[in-house]
């Protein structure tokens, strides 16, 4: 169900600061400066009362990479106990952490990145064994089989070469759970950001990483979470992030969840339709090739949409240009008055072959279960097809490689109960993360943000983020907030070249953020660089 409610106000957020401290069990904010217990004092073991998840398991691994290189690291699978001020267990947040070996001072200075997926209701498996972890489940190609092999392979584009990684599962996803079995109190925009900020703070304190450069990467709704979590960590907990990577994010739901009478949704998706058409001709979309479609979408296309479907001259212009850009039959475009829906596009581009395209990546298709019907209800060839292999691969990863076996609980890759039960706040405005993004960039002059998208994603189209970023003030240098777009869709990282380009862009962001942190070079004197970082 589309969201229609806003994030809480700044006043409400301030009121929730106390709740956050209770949830995480933190000492007052000044206590966060302590990186561990006093010298000579043993660290107290976490309280196990009420815990259903097993004790943490740490294992050693060495990854052989293509080309003959190797990567040694420790993996810890376990959970973070979030308690109230009386020590009563509130929730267990399951996590998988990967850390390169080193002396304590080396580890303390190494970046650590917290990774979260979206939904709401998704576990972090997509980022873990799809994009940036040391192993990945191959799911590339023009189609995905739910019965494919579950064998994991080394990921040559893992981020472990420049940061330690911690994958977190929100309550109700993966193996994470509320202590009393009722996770609904955590299933809202603000409570969710609070508990994830609490989990990050707990991990940092338990592992003596408060002094490390700290980063966040979130995909889809996880990207929406990023600015909210960063602001909570800054304002309520006393922890500053050095950078955010927002992957296929929703930055403002009002720009995506629009009724058919509002033209904005058609504008944001048209460049993605055009990119899909380019791929069908065998070409690879680039920002240079997309400039014409982007200019038309925000210019003449929008102007003709505003004239309305009752203007025959406007409809004729829309029909000719949209059909040429998207590769669709002009009569199909005319019937929709140039206002293409994602659902119709998914079916029309493969109708002759009886195939339907994924909304998450139009380059991945499946069979239409009812091709002769005027309307066909079909499962998404990416999102639904990934459910079985990702779930099975994660259960095996936990039990076989990481030694953290759980036989009495179901692993929730995508929990529909969380999604259906989500509370979107109060008021008439749709939820948005742009206000929080402005706050954290303005407050911390060294913070860097990278927004990344795939060209052929119809769920969170890249052009929406581009236009929103264009509305942002330049806080110092323009390279503090950049956009990269890669061939592929919502999970563009299934494509090896795009995954490698993503790795390189993220590594560049981390290097610049760590340098700014170490030498105090706030980005106030830099050149007015182009914000977009096109991928050739």
């Amino acid at each position: 169900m589309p969201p229609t409610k806003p994030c809480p106000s700044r006043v409400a957020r301030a009121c929730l600061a106390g709740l956050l401290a209770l949830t995480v069990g933190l000492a007052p904010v000044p206590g966060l400066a302590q990186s561990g217990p006093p010298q000579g004092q043993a660290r107290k073991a976490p309280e196990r009362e009420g815990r259903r998840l097993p004790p943490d398991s740490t294992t050693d691994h060495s990854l052989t990479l293509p080309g003959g290189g190797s990567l040694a690291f420790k993996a810890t699978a376990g959970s973070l106990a979030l308690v109230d001020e009386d020590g009563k267990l509130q929730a267990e947040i399951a996590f998988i952490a990967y850390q390169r070996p080193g002396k304590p001072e080396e580890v303390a200075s190494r970046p650590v990145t917290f990774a979260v997926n979206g939904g709401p209701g998704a576990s972090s498996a997509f980022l873990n064994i799809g994009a940036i972890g040391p192993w990945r489940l191959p799911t590339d190609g023009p189609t995905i089989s739910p019965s494919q092999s579950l064998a994991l392979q080394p990921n040559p584009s893992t981020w472990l070469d420049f940061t330690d990684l911690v994958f977190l599962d929100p309550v109700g996803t993966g193996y994470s759970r509320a202590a009393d079995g009722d996770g609904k109190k955590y299933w809202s925009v603000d409570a969710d950001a609070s508990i994830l900020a609490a989990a990050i703070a707990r991990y940092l304190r338990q592992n003596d990483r408060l002094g490390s450069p700290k980063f966040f990467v979130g995909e889809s709704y996880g990207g929406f979470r990023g600015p909210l979590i960063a602001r909570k960590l800054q304002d309520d907990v006393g922890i500053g992030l050095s950078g955010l990577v927002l992957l296929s994010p929703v930055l403002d739901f009002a720009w995506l969840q629009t009724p058919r009478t509002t033209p904005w949704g058609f504008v944001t998706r048209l460049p993605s339709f055009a990119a899909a058409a380019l791929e069908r001709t065998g070409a690879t979309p680039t920002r240079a090739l997309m400039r014409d479609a982007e200019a038309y979408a925000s210019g003449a296309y929008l102007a003709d949409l505003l004239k309305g479907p009752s203007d025959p001259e406007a409809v004729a212009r829309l029909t000719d240009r949209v059909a040429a850009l998207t590769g669709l039959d002009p009569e199909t475009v005319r019937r929709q008055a140039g206002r293409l829906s994602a659902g119709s596009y998914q079916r029309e581009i493969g109708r002759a072959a009886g195939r339907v395209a994924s909304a998450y990546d139009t380059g991945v298709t499946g069979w239409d279960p009812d091709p002769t019907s005027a309307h066909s209800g079909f499962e998404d060839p990416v999102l639904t097809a990934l459910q079985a292999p990702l779930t099975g691969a994660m259960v095996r990863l936990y039990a076989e490689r990481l030694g953290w076996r759980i036989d009495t609980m179901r692993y929730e890759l995508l929990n529909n109960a969380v999604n259906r039960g989500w509370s979107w706040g109060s008021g008439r405005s749709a939820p948005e993360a742009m206000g929080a993004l402005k706050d954290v960039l303005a407050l911390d002059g060294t913070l860097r943000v990278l927004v990344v998208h795939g060209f052929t994603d119809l769920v969170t189209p890249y052009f929406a983020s581009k236009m929103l970023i264009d509305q942002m003030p330049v806080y110092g240098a323009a390279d503090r907030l950049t956009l990269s777009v890669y061939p592929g869709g919502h999970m563009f990282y299934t494509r090896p070249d795009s995954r490698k380009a993503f790795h390189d862009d993220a590594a560049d962001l981390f290097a610049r953020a760590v340098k700014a942190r170490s030498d105090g070079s706030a980005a106030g004197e830099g050149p007015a660089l182009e914000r977009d970082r096109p991928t050739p």
Side-chain angles (χ1 to χ4, degrees), residues 194-419:
S194 290
I195 198 169
L196 287 172
I200 290 171
R202 172 55 60 89
Y203 181 90
L204 291 169
R205 296 191 71 195
Q206 286 187 180
N207 293 276
D208 294 332
R209 298 302 296 269
L210 281 166
S212 300
K214 295 167 281 290
F215 294 82
F216 175 91
V217 56
E219 178 179 352
S220 197
Y221 186 82
F224 175 83
R225 285 171 164 134
L228 308 183
I229 291 171
R231 185 168 61 185
K232 281 190 177 295
L233 288 170
Q234 281 182 350
D235 295 354
D236 301 342
V237 184
I239 291 175
L241 297 180
S242 293
L244 301 172
V245 179
L246 311 180
L247 192 163
S248 303
V250 182
L251 296 177
D252 188 336
F253 277 89
W255 282 50
L256 298 183
Q257 304 287 354
T258 57
R260 187 166 174 80
T261 51
T262 301
W264 213 234
F266 306 120
V267 171
T268 60
R269 287 185 175 86
L270 183 62
S272 292
F273 292 148
L278 273 177
E279 282 203 340
R280 293 200 304 279
T281 68
T284 299
T286 66
R287 289 303 301 279
L289 288 176
M290 298 310 302
R291 284 198 187 104
D292 183 54
E294 292 177 11
Y296 172 64
S298 58
Y301 182 61
L302 176 58
D304 276 339
L305 288 175
L306 291 173
K307 290 180 173 62
S310 60
D311 185 323
E313 293 181 355
V315 171
R317 288 191 297 269
L318 290 168
T319 297
D320 291 343
R321 191 67 189 278
V322 171
L325 282 171
T326 63
L328 293 183
D329 175 61
E331 180 57 26
T332 298
V333 177
R334 186 197 61 78
R335 285 198 303 267
Q336 299 184 54
R339 294 156 169 81
L340 300 180
S341 69
S344 67
Y345 191 82
Q346 289 175 255
R347 199 170 186 222
E348 289 300 329
I349 62 176
R351 182 182 285 276
R355 307 282 290 182
V356 290
S358 170
Y360 290 84
D361 186 347
T362 59
V364 179
T365 66
W367 292 108
D368 188 335
D370 200 359
T372 61
S373 172
H375 302 281
S376 178
F378 53 88
E379 299 290 348
D380 190 272
V382 168
L383 188 68
T384 307
L386 284 174
Q387 177 86 17
L390 281 181
T391 298
M394 283 301 299
V395 172
R396 289 187 65 190
L397 173 63
Y398 270 117
E400 298 174 13
R401 295 199 185 195
L402 306 183
W404 204 60
R405 191 179 189 95
I406 301 175
D407 295 326
T408 58
M409 293 177 64
R410 172 176 169 171
Y411 179 83
E412 297 284 359
L413 179 77
L414 287 170
N415 190 339
N416 289 327
V418 174
N419 196 278

Side-chain angles (χ1 to χ4, degrees), residues 514-529:
V514 170
K515 182 178 185 300
R517 179 181 186 267
S518 62
D519 63 17
S521 57
E525 303 297 330
L529 301 177

Side-chain angles (χ1 to χ4, degrees), residues 29-304:
V29 170
L32 287 175
Q34 301 174 10
S35 60
Q39 187 173 3
Q41 180 178 325
R43 183 185 302 278
K44 185 179 179 181
E47 177 60 60
R48 295 297 306 172
E49 184 177 354
R51 304 279 294 272
R52 285 184 60 192
L53 297 179
D56 297 356
S57 170
T58 299
T59 49
D60 293 315
H61 302 270
S62 181
L63 199 67
T64 300
L65 299 174
S70 64
L71 189 69
F73 61 95
K74 291 182 178 294
T76 300
S79 62
L80 298 163
L82 303 186
V83 301
D84 63 17
E85 61 181 356
D86 296 321
K88 183 178 179 181
L89 183 67
Q90 301 298 302
E92 293 179 90
I93 302 298
F95 72 91
I96 294 177
Y98 302 113
Q99 179 178 301
R100 297 288 302 278
K103 298 177 181 178
E105 60 272 18
E106 294 172 340
V107 173
S109 63
R110 182 174 169 81
V112 57
T113 298
F114 296 90
V116 176
N117 269 94
S123 76
S124 59
F126 299 85
L127 284 172
N128 189 346
I129 60 173
I132 66 175
W135 302 288
R136 64 178 305 273
L137 182 69
T139 56
D140 49 321
T143 187
I144 297 171
S145 169
S147 59
Q148 72 167 70
S149 168
L150 303 182
L152 297 178
Q153 298 180 359
N155 179 11
S157 297
T158 180
W159 288 13
L160 265 179
D161 60 338
F162 61 85
T163 180
D164 293 333
L165 296 166
V166 183
F167 296 89
L168 300 173
D169 292 334
V171 172
T173 74
Y175 290 123
S176 296
R177 56 178 285 271
D180 60 4
D182 181 12
K184 290 184 179 179
K185 57 181 169 290
Y186 304 116
W187 297 348
S188 69
V189 171
D190 204 65
D192 168 78
S194 290
I195 198 169
L196 287 172
I200 290 171
R202 172 55 60 89
Y203 181 90
L204 291 169
R205 296 191 71 195
Q206 286 187 180
N207 293 276
D208 294 332
R209 298 302 296 269
L210 281 166
S212 300
K214 295 167 281 290
F215 294 82
F216 175 91
V217 56
E219 178 179 352
S220 197
Y221 186 82
F224 175 83
R225 285 171 164 134
L228 308 183
I229 291 171
R231 185 168 61 185
K232 281 190 177 295
L233 288 170
Q234 281 182 350
D235 295 354
D236 301 342
V237 184
I239 291 175
L241 297 180
S242 293
L244 301 172
V245 179
L246 311 180
L247 192 163
S248 303
V250 182
L251 296 177
D252 188 336
F253 277 89
W255 282 50
L256 298 183
Q257 304 287 354
T258 57
R260 187 166 174 80
T261 51
T262 301
W264 213 234
F266 306 120
V267 171
T268 60
R269 287 185 175 86
L270 183 62
S272 292
F273 292 148
L278 273 177
E279 282 203 340
R280 293 200 304 279
T281 68
T284 299
T286 66
R287 289 303 301 279
L289 288 176
M290 298 310 302
R291 284 198 187 104
D292 183 54
E294 292 177 11
Y296 172 64
S298 58
Y301 182 61
L302 176 58
D304 276 339

